[in-house]
Amino acid sequence: MSRIRRKQREMRSAIILVAPFMIIFAIFFLYPTIKVVMLSFTNAPLIGDGDWVGFDNYAKLLTDRLFRTSLWNNLYFVVLTVIPTTVIALLIALAVGQLRGRMQALVLTLFFLPYILPVSVVTLIWSWMLDFQFGILQPLIAAVAGRPVAVFRDPNWVMPMIALVTVWWTNGFNVLLFIAGLRNIPQDLYEAAALDGATPWQRFRRITWPLLWPVTTLVLTLQLILQLKLFDQVYLLSAGGPFNQSYVVLLQMYREAFQLNNGGYASAVAMVLFAIIVILSVLQFQLLKIRGRR
């Protein structure tokens, strides 16, 4: 078989293997994305055609007070969750890494179990535990605040408590990532450092932290993207209230599209959020990579 015919066969095989993914990608991602971009420049309802309005929807967003509030709440939620959940996951991974055998497997299972629960189950569990009258966590809240608090109806408590629920729910996956990173660090480095008299803090600072930085960068980037797409927890726990203190961008998009039938304006909201996620995640990832090279 000539070299040219062999390459043609390899190309055909590659096309056959890749084609199913490309077809699914085009139907379920590429086409809807193009459609949303086009809709964002119209005044179309959710279903049906509309008139071309150019950048009017985007100009309206600049003066939309509710959109500014929802964007601020999204950024506030990122501050409450991204770095705290990364730090907590790292500490848990370091602690679990000291365990061995079945005990380690059991502890890992306990930490990962919430991650596989549906969001409806997670929010129901926490609604029960934080119930104003019967919640088992209300005595703890009363000890801190001096009185029982309906946390999902209080403007000062609602976002921190949704952040707490989110960290508890999603942190198991981050722990697994850190555990995988720790297992890839050669034990010879720790043994050599111990022979040189390095303390546990020095071993962490000089060995663990630098070698774990790529995993930390990945976790921070994934968490940033995930938390900017916040919707489920807010919708089920507070519905954006009270007084729009937990109103987020995806909740506004849902309201405009499915409640007010403003498909064009909802598409503009979606495109702005998409652009923010891309810009912030790429910027953060590059900055963290630069930090890791130092």
Side-chain angles (χ1 to χ4, degrees):
M1 183 183 296
S2 67
R3 185 176 180 181
I4 295 177
R5 292 185 61 185
R6 186 169 64 251
K7 286 188 174 181
Q8 289 176 344
R9 287 190 59 182
E10 292 176 353
M11 182 62 68
R12 284 196 298 268
S13 299
I15 292 174
I16 292 173
L17 292 173
V18 174
F21 167 77
M22 295 303 298
I23 293 172
I24 294 173
F25 178 81
I27 294 174
F28 294 103
F29 181 80
L30 187 60
Y31 172 74
T33 301
I34 295 173
K35 188 68 175 178
V36 168
V37 173
M38 295 174 61
L39 278 175
S40 69
F41 295 102
T42 70
N43 61 359
L46 183 62
I47 299 176
D49 299 324
D51 298 323
W52 184 268
V53 296
F55 288 93
D56 288 357
N57 289 327
Y58 294 95
K60 182 180 177 181
L61 282 176
L62 296 177
T63 59
D64 189 337
R65 184 176 179 182
L66 185 59
F67 177 75
R68 293 199 300 270
T69 299
S70 62
L71 184 59
W72 167 257
N73 288 335
N74 265 93
L75 297 177
Y76 177 45
F77 189 79
V78 165
V79 173
L80 289 174
T81 54
V82 173
I83 293 180
T85 192
T86 304
V87 173
I88 293 171
L90 176 58
L91 294 175
I92 293 173
L94 291 172
V96 172
Q98 303 301 314
L99 303 175
R100 292 294 181 269
R102 294 182 179 179
M103 180 58 68
Q104 185 183 70
L106 176 61
V107 173
L108 273 176
T109 301
L110 292 176
F111 280 114
F112 189 74
L113 188 60
Y115 185 72
I116 66 176
L117 295 177
V119 63
S120 56
V121 175
V122 172
T123 53
L124 187 61
I125 290 172
W126 281 89
S127 296
W128 287 341
M129 292 196 299
L130 294 169
D131 184 81
F132 180 70
Q133 292 181 316
F134 309 108
I136 61 174
L137 294 181
Q138 276 298 331
L140 180 61
I141 294 175
V144 175
R147 58 180 176 83
V149 179
V151 292
F152 298 120
R153 297 181 182 179
D154 188 290
N156 298 319
W157 283 78
V158 59
M159 287 301 277
M161 296 311 298
I162 294 176
L164 175 64
V165 173
T166 302
V167 170
W168 178 84
W169 177 36
T170 62
N171 216 25
F173 181 69
N174 301 327
V175 172
L176 286 184
L177 290 177
F178 278 120
I179 288 289
L182 288 171
R183 288 179 176 175
N184 283 330
I185 299 176
Q187 293 299 312
D188 296 345
L189 297 176
Y190 292 110
E191 294 173 0
L195 290 174
D196 290 337
T199 64
W201 167 247
Q202 289 173 329
R203 292 197 293 269
F204 172 79
R205 185 166 175 266
R206 298 296 184 181
I207 300 175
T208 306
W209 182 241
L211 295 179
L212 208 58
W213 185 253
V215 178
T216 306
T217 301
L218 175 64
V219 171
L220 286 169
T221 303
L222 290 177
Q223 285 301 307
L224 177 66
I225 296 172
L226 179 65
Q227 308 312 344
L228 282 172
K229 297 191 299 179
L230 172 69
F231 174 77
D232 299 343
Q233 307 93 292
V234 169
Y235 181 77
L236 293 172
L237 290 172
S238 66
F243 313 115
N244 295 330
Q245 289 300 308
S246 62
Y247 205 86
V248 292
V249 176
L250 280 182
L251 198 60
Q252 182 176 14
M253 186 186 73
Y254 171 82
R255 174 176 175 268
E256 294 290 342
F258 296 100
Q259 295 179 347
L260 302 181
N261 200 31
N262 295 330
Y265 191 62
S267 298
V269 174
M271 292 310 303
V272 170
L273 179 61
F274 175 75
I276 291 172
I277 291 174
V278 170
I279 292 171
L280 291 182
S281 59
V282 171
L283 181 61
Q284 175 185 272
F285 186 76
Q286 294 302 322
L287 290 175
L288 291 174
K289 282 183 64 177
I290 294 172
R291 162 66 177 79
R293 291 171 184 168
R294 292 180 180 177

